[in-house]
Amino acid sequence: QVQLVESGGGLVQAGGSLKLSCAASGSTFSIVAMGWYRQAPGKQRELVAVISSTGSTNYADSVKGRFTISRDNAKNTVYLEMSSLKPEDTAVYYCNTERVLGGIFYDYWGQGTQVTVSS
């Protein structure tokens, strides 16, 4: 099992910045990817950004150029630096990690952290 603990959410004005952190613990070996998803009220959960164990990244079009995902493999921690925040970025942000074991992929989720951007 992998446990994920998120931190860094909060209330910020439009145009502001926030940095989210997610620390993984437990059976962290064989983690191949870590990322962030978000879910706004009444909407489906969507991918925000993901980073592989080799450092390759992928972003949702809506956050490209504004958000940066990074990873500290030694600390098993993933970060999401968010800048130029918009009200439409308001959502619960969930940390996700993907682990492969015996050829089977396992997904783990954090409890979520609220990000609210006021206009």
Side-chain angles (χ1 to χ4, degrees):
Q1 291 293 324
V2 176
Q3 294 79 42
L4 301 173
V5 178
E6 299 140 336
S7 61
L11 173 64
V12 65
Q13 288 188 333
S17 301
L18 278 176
K19 183 176 181 178
L20 306 182
S21 300
C22 173
S25 62
S27 300
T28 57
F29 60 93
S30 299
I31 286 178
V32 295
M34 299 185 78
W36 293 92
Y37 289 70
R38 66 186 181 187
Q39 187 167 19
K43 295 188 176 181
Q44 289 189 332
R45 191 173 297 188
E46 62 176 2
L47 172 71
V48 176
V50 63
I51 184 167
S52 74
S53 56
T54 60
S56 62
T57 58
N58 189 34
Y59 294 91
D61 287 343
S62 60
V63 307
K64 283 181 181 176
R66 300 188 298 121
F67 291 11
T68 301
I69 190 169
S70 60
R71 179 173 175 173
D72 185 333
N73 288 330
K75 296 182 178 179
N76 292 310
T77 300
V78 63
Y79 306 96
L80 185 68
E81 294 186 77
M82 305 182 292
S83 61
S84 301
L85 282 161
K86 305 174 181 179
E88 50 263 44
D89 294 318
T90 295
V92 178
Y93 283 70
Y94 295 92
C95 178
N96 169 269
T97 186
E98 189 174 66
R99 178 177 169 231
V100 61
L101 190 62
I104 300 174
F105 286 84
Y106 297 88
D107 272 309
Y108 301 91
W109 294 91
Q111 79 283 359
T113 185
Q114 177 70 46
V115 171
T116 302
V117 184
S118 62
S119 57

